Amino acid sequence: MNYKLITFLVFFVFCGALRLLAQPVIRINQLGYLPKAFKTAVLLSPEELIIDKFELYDKISGEKVYEASAEIADASLWGMQSAYRLDFSAFQEAGGFFIQAGATQSPSFHIGNDVYDGTADFVLNYMRQQRCGFNPFLNDSCHLHDGVIVDHPTRSGEQIDVTGGWHDASDYLQYLTTSANATYQMLFAYQQNPEAFGDKYQANGLAGANGIPDILDEARWGLEWLLKMNPAKDEMYNQIADDRDHRGYRLPNKDTVSYGLGKARPVYFVTGKPQGLGKHKNRSTGVASTAAKYASAFALGAQLFDDIDPQLAEVMHQKAEDAWTFALSDPGVFQTACMVSPYFYEEENYIDDMELAAASLYQLSGKDDYQQQARYWGALEPVTPWMALHRARHYQYYPFVNLGHALLAQSANESTSEQFLALMKQGLSHLKHFAGNDPFQLGIPFQWCSNNFVAGAATQARLYRQLSGDETFATLEAALVDWLLGCNPWGTSMICGLPEGGEYPEKPHSSITVLMHETTTGGLVDGPVYRSIYESLRGILLLEPDEYADFQNGKAVYHDDIGDYSSNEPTMDGTASLSFLFSSLEVEGQKDQNMSRVVKDSQGALVRMDTTSRKVYLIFSAHDYNDGGELIAKTLKKHNQKASFFFTGDFYENQDNQKLIARLMKDGHYLGAHSDKHLLYADWEKRDSLLVTREVFEKDLVANYHKMAELGIDPSEAPYFLAPYEWYNEAIVNWSKQLGLQVVNFTTGIRTNADYTTPDMKNYRSSERILNGLKSFENDQPAGLNGAVILIHLGTAAERTDKFYHHLDELLDFLTNKGYQPSRL
């Protein structure tokens, strides 16, 4: 046997694999870009690459639509030989595109005003998953015996009801520090952008509208826990459980960790002094950081719940003022407690908490003294320290963004507004300085929870731009947002499950993933850490080969691996901090959208147009059969009505069908895509299970459009796409959006789509039954058939002799007699 030859071949194959992996890449925001926003992609190359320009192409037509110069950046920061920023902000047309830079092509992406739609509500999935007490994700309850008071001068050992709130991360500790901040962040997001939030869940987190925006339901869950943790004036608790919790993977409703207190967990009293039940103590110096967090959350809660629950609002108003007085009585920080190890949240600044509390109380009460106090405390900490220092220990400077500055910048007092806008600008100037020539324009420190720094910085940049009108940091703001959604060295979103069908953390450090084999939907993971931090941590063991190995040679590392608790653990407060950012981006897009009352299904497909309009939309689809085509065309012509037709590529290229296609085009009907080969995209039983890859999907759909173009159908005039079998999932809808397309489907409850069934099928429906069902639907629905999409097949199998298209005359008469206007898409 020729071992030398085998060795050479193995080496050759290995080197070939390395070359295959280490190719230049273009990183993008996977959600897409708002048309008028700053839009940048980043090219990274492991080898020296000279790029002068890049081009933007329409994904469907292949037409070049934009060209610009490439901006060279410092590739060495991320262990690369070449890096370029590809700025296409000047291009503002909506659609689906890709970037070509030299021989490197980006993934397809969407430009449109709807790219952030639903994202603010999406992150609430993780907040509900983290609930303590009744957990709607598990449909079960946990920690119902919390808790037993510890470290109280007279009441240690007493039982107190503090069940509720959220678990902090993948452990089940609960901290006032992070929970109060998360509550405030959600309340603030709603205060600033109420129109961004929907109502699909009940107060207990289970599905079903209750007339209250879901974000307020979630914030109330936090507020009610805070009320339990602050049962009386000057009596506050800071924490439930401690690091004895860290006992391996388990679901919260199966938590068996014992603290020697029976079924209860310890509840730490706020003492204002160094705390810890064992040999390890924190470095607490006062109560202000904790008391002020209570005050700000209660103050904003009282303001927003005044109309919803006046009694609750009144209680919180008094609690806010009492907490403020308590904070003034003992200035200093109160840190989280540890026992097993000397690790805790090392919060060292309380001035920002005092500023936010006073500013929130001013908004609530209108008392000038509170605004004066807010200005006083705000001036003491002009810039959040981590922004100026470019470093921080774990939660040393918390919260990561000072919303007190933003509240004061919104003041009607011009002097106050100018003062705090200038301070916000000062902090952002530090970030811009530290970003330097980083390809991703990221001027944040890669400490533990770096994504929280990113979210905080993006929030400040966005608030500053909105309040001042100054766009000095607009590119910085966009870069921070893009980083979280895939424009980073690893090309992954940092939010589990977003976007569906994209690259995102699938294996976060979480018991949900280990035991239930699911990602923690909506959760923001900790994010990349400096290599030095990663290599110094104990207990990290990657469980799978690193899919991002080629991109781990820069200043920070990230792993989508259950074993990496430093970069891939989702956190509750980090997730909540996305509420304002995403709701603000969503509202920005809405301002430029036609916000008619359209209806989308749970997968994101458009299933009903404007429900206030008397228009109805007849759509016809075909792949194999065309027995009804001529009759349908004649009937529509007779009634002088327009409709929409969705055909597969196979149907378009079949010469027997092209006479009909030409007639439909001449008569002014909409002609769209139905896939090229009529592929089944998703499993019938498990809908979220894909049966095609993104590459196969895009190739097939683009082929469908190319065949349409050959017959004179302009792809730009066919933005609606009907999925084959009318079966798809959220990933398919998102992939379609990245091509500039909107998936459309029939209106739920209208069963005309059953016209394909044959008598031997269990679900067979006769044409008479189908028509009567449609009439009943029209009669029973409050909006009737307003905006309804009615699907009819162009032809059916020969076994069905009762063809529904023979009833098209009757259907059109019924619609027009009822005052509806049949229309095309």
Side-chain angles (χ1 to χ4, degrees):
M1 184 176 290
N2 191 335
Y3 290 101
K4 288 185 177 180
L5 177 60
I6 292 174
T7 302
F8 172 78
L9 289 174
V10 169
F11 178 77
F12 178 82
V13 170
F14 176 73
C15 290
L18 280 181
R19 283 196 298 273
L20 180 63
L21 288 172
Q23 296 294 313
V25 292
I26 297 175
R27 302 309 195 190
I28 59 167
N29 178 328
Q30 294 181 87
L31 269 186
Y33 303 85
L34 295 171
K36 296 179 182 178
F38 286 82
K39 299 179 285 292
T40 304
V42 173
L43 184 150
L44 295 177
S45 174
E47 298 179 352
E48 188 172 348
L49 198 64
I50 298 176
I51 299 291
D52 295 323
K53 64 179 181 179
F54 68 97
E55 296 96 16
L56 190 65
Y57 288 86
D58 183 281
K59 180 64 177 181
I60 296 293
S61 69
E63 178 186 355
K64 184 168 75 171
V65 295
Y66 182 75
E67 180 178 298
S69 298
E71 178 185 345
I72 194 166
D74 187 351
S76 66
L77 295 173
W78 296 103
M80 295 288 166
Q81 292 297 312
S82 299
Y84 292 89
R85 288 176 57 78
L86 313 175
D87 188 338
F88 53 104
S89 303
F91 183 80
Q92 299 188 356
E93 295 180 21
F97 307 95
F98 67 87
I99 291 171
Q100 188 78 36
T104 307
Q105 182 175 313
S106 77
S108 55
F109 57 86
H110 178 45
I111 298 177
N113 288 310
D114 60 343
V115 294
Y116 290 99
D117 284 4
T119 53
D121 279 330
F122 181 82
V123 298
L124 296 179
N125 285 300
Y126 182 68
M127 301 304 293
R128 287 187 285 269
Q129 189 181 94
Q130 290 298 105
R131 284 193 183 189
C132 186
F134 177 71
N135 185 295
F137 177 76
L138 300 170
N139 199 22
D140 198 0
S141 297
C142 64
H143 302 123
L144 296 178
H145 302 279
D146 286 343
V148 171
I149 297 172
V150 297
D151 208 15
H152 192 288
T154 61
R155 296 178 56 195
S156 290
E158 287 186 20
Q159 188 84 24
I160 182 174
D161 176 16
V162 288
T163 296
W166 304 285
H167 303 126
D168 200 49
S170 294
D171 53 56
Y172 302 128
L173 280 78
Q174 294 177 252
Y175 300 120
L176 178 282
T177 301
T178 51
S179 296
N181 178 47
T183 301
Y184 194 94
Q185 290 271 2
M186 290 187 288
L187 290 169
F188 179 78
Y190 180 77
Q191 179 196 46
Q192 302 293 313
N193 303 302
E195 61 269 49
F197 298 98
D199 174 23
K200 295 183 178 179
Y201 292 86
Q202 304 171 57
N204 63 5
L206 295 176
N210 66 346
I212 297 172
D214 295 332
I215 196 163
L216 289 185
D217 283 329
E218 205 58 37
R220 181 168 184 158
W221 188 263
L223 288 167
E224 290 178 343
W225 182 73
L226 296 181
L227 289 170
K228 288 184 174 183
M229 295 284 282
N230 177 206
K233 185 177 181 180
D234 299 348
E235 182 186 352
M236 293 181 175
Y237 298 88
N238 198 55
Q239 176 177 328
I240 298 177
D242 53 44
D243 52 0
R244 286 174 285 181
D245 166 276
H246 298 165
R247 299 287 180 86
Y249 298 111
R250 65 206 186 278
L251 296 176
N253 56 337
K254 307 293 183 182
D255 189 3
T256 57
V257 171
S258 174
Y259 296 85
L261 301 171
K263 293 182 179 180
R265 299 188 297 172
V267 186
Y268 282 77
F269 179 66
V270 174
T271 64
K273 299 177 178 62
Q275 191 172 56
L277 300 181
K279 67 177 181 178
H280 302 297
K281 307 286 184 185
N282 62 28
R283 298 186 295 274
S284 296
T285 60
V287 305
S289 63
T290 289
K293 287 186 179 71
Y294 274 111
S296 56
F298 286 147
L300 187 51
Q303 184 180 346
L304 295 183
F305 280 89
D306 189 42
D307 292 333
I308 299 172
D309 190 337
Q311 186 175 359
L312 174 65
E314 184 178 352
V315 170
M316 288 192 292
H317 190 147
Q318 186 60 55
K319 290 274 191 182
E321 293 191 340
D322 290 345
W324 171 253
T325 302
F326 190 41
L328 288 173
S329 72
D330 190 8
V333 292
F334 194 69
Q335 300 171 332
T336 62
C338 56
M339 183 164 178
V340 177
S341 60
Y343 301 116
F344 52 89
Y345 287 179
E346 303 179 64
E347 186 176 10
E348 286 188 357
N349 60 328
Y350 67 93
I351 291 170
D352 54 346
D353 297 310
M354 296 295 284
E355 177 190 358
L356 181 60
S360 300
L361 280 161
Y362 173 69
Q363 277 196 342
L364 174 65
S365 68
K367 296 179 181 177
D368 288 338
D369 180 59
Y370 284 126
Q371 186 173 59
Q372 292 172 12
Q373 286 275 7
R375 290 188 64 171
Y376 166 77
W377 290 103
L380 293 181
E381 188 176 277
V383 174
T384 300
W386 72 262
M387 291 184 174
L389 299 173
H390 199 60
R391 58 175 170 77
R393 295 194 301 276
H394 194 45
Y395 278 62
Q396 182 180 8
Y397 304 117
Y398 189 80
F400 298 101
V401 60
N402 185 351
L403 293 178
H405 277 13
L407 291 187
L408 290 169
Q410 292 176 337
S411 172
N413 182 301
E414 187 175 345
S415 174
T416 299
S417 177
E418 289 180 356
Q419 176 187 356
F420 286 90
L421 280 173
L423 297 184
M424 293 174 74
K425 182 175 183 177
Q426 187 177 338
L428 295 170
S429 296
H430 287 298
L431 296 180
K432 190 173 183 179
H433 166 75
F434 287 121
N437 199 26
D438 186 310
F440 300 99
Q441 289 295 283
L442 220 67
I444 62 104
F446 288 97
Q447 313 293 151
W448 210 336
C449 295
S450 66
N451 281 340
N452 291 15
F453 291 115
V454 174
T459 295
Q460 181 158 321
R462 186 153 190 84
L463 283 165
Y464 173 76
R465 183 162 64 92
Q466 288 180 345
L467 296 173
S468 68
D470 179 5
E471 298 206 340
T472 300
F473 306 104
T475 54
L476 174 69
E477 173 197 330
L480 291 161
V481 174
D482 293 347
W483 175 272
L484 295 176
L485 293 165
C487 192
N488 54 55
W490 309 274
T492 178
S493 163
M494 296 291 172
I495 302 153
C496 299
L498 187 70
E500 187 59 54
E503 181 81 5
Y504 56 75
E506 297 184 57
K507 300 176 284 286
H509 179 78
S510 169
S511 294
I512 297 293
T513 307
V514 173
L515 302 175
M516 300 182 71
H517 310 293
E518 297 185 31
T519 192
T520 50
T521 303
L524 176 68
V525 297
D526 282 337
V529 295
Y530 287 124
R531 176 174 297 279
S532 58
I533 291 178
Y534 174 76
E535 293 176 348
S536 70
L537 293 172
R538 299 178 180 179
I540 290 183
L541 178 64
L542 299 187
L543 305 183
E544 297 180 3
D546 182 8
E547 62 183 306
Y548 301 132
D550 288 334
F551 303 97
Q552 306 289 22
N553 300 313
K555 57 185 174 181
V557 299
Y558 167 76
H559 305 95
D560 182 15
D561 193 292
I562 292 168
D564 187 357
Y565 61 82
S566 69
S567 73
N568 208 39
E569 181 177 10
T571 64
M572 172 270 299
D573 60 317
T575 300
S577 72
L578 295 175
S579 299
F580 167 77
L581 194 60
F582 281 163
S583 63
S584 179
L585 288 162
E586 193 168 337
V587 168
E588 181 179 337
Q590 288 175 358
K591 289 177 181 177
D592 293 318
Q593 286 187 64
N594 175 14
M595 295 304 292
S596 59
R597 299 180 183 180
V598 299
V599 178
K600 293 184 178 181
D601 66 11
S602 61
Q603 310 302 316
L606 186 61
V607 294
R608 195 160 186 167
M609 305 300 282
D610 188 350
T611 55
T612 65
S613 167
R614 296 295 284 175
K615 290 182 178 181
V616 295
Y617 300 84
L618 296 180
I619 65 173
F620 299 87
S621 67
H623 172 55
D624 292 326
Y625 303 110
N626 181 16
D627 44 283
E630 285 299 325
L631 176 61
I632 290 168
K634 288 178 181 178
T635 306
L636 290 170
K637 183 78 169 179
K638 169 186 169 184
H639 287 261
N640 194 29
Q641 301 292 356
K642 299 292 187 290
S644 303
F645 294 82
F646 294 90
F647 301 144
T648 63
D650 285 352
F651 188 96
Y652 278 116
E653 71 177 350
N654 186 327
Q655 291 186 357
D656 292 340
N657 300 325
Q658 289 179 5
K659 181 179 177 181
L660 170 66
I661 292 167
R663 175 173 183 171
L664 295 174
M665 292 172 62
K666 181 181 178 181
D667 288 349
H669 299 294
Y670 176 94
L671 278 88
H674 193 42
S675 86
D676 190 46
K677 300 296 182 184
H678 208 249
L679 305 177
L680 181 63
Y681 294 149
D683 189 281
W684 287 112
E685 300 298 325
K686 190 178 180 183
R687 191 169 189 172
D688 62 354
S689 180
L690 285 161
L691 301 180
V692 294
T693 65
R694 181 170 180 174
E695 182 181 8
V696 167
F697 167 80
E698 288 191 353
K699 184 177 180 180
D700 179 75
L701 191 50
V702 168
N704 191 171
Y705 273 93
H706 283 178
K707 290 174 183 177
M708 290 165 58
E710 289 173 359
L711 298 179
I713 302 168
D714 186 346
S716 68
E717 295 181 0
Y720 296 104
F721 161 54
L722 180 68
Y725 304 99
E726 294 78 56
W727 192 247
Y728 48 86
N729 56 26
E730 191 175 348
I732 295 298
V733 174
N734 285 336
W735 290 349
S736 300
K737 185 181 288 188
Q738 305 312 318
L739 299 178
L741 306 175
Q742 171 63 59
V743 174
V744 66
N745 202 6
F746 58 85
T747 299
T748 306
I750 297 177
R751 297 302 308 278
T752 54
N753 64 300
D755 66 344
Y756 76 93
T757 56
T758 55
D760 59 306
M761 295 180 177
K762 290 182 179 180
N763 62 337
Y764 172 72
R765 286 180 177 240
S766 69
S767 293
E768 182 181 6
R769 184 182 176 191
I770 288 172
L771 190 58
N772 287 337
L774 180 142
K775 292 177 180 179
S776 296
F777 180 93
E778 192 274 338
N779 185 63
D780 296 341
Q781 295 292 313
L785 289 171
N786 286 356
V789 179
I790 301 171
L791 171 67
I792 301 171
H793 290 94
L794 202 72
T796 67
E799 290 81 2
R800 182 178 180 111
T801 57
D802 178 20
K803 309 286 189 178
F804 184 67
Y805 52 73
H806 286 305
H807 298 263
L808 183 57
D809 246 327
E810 184 181 353
L811 173 60
L812 289 169
D813 284 338
F814 169 76
L815 293 173
T816 53
N817 289 337
K818 284 284 188 174
Y820 295 107
Q821 180 185 344
S823 304
R824 54 161 282 176
L825 292 169

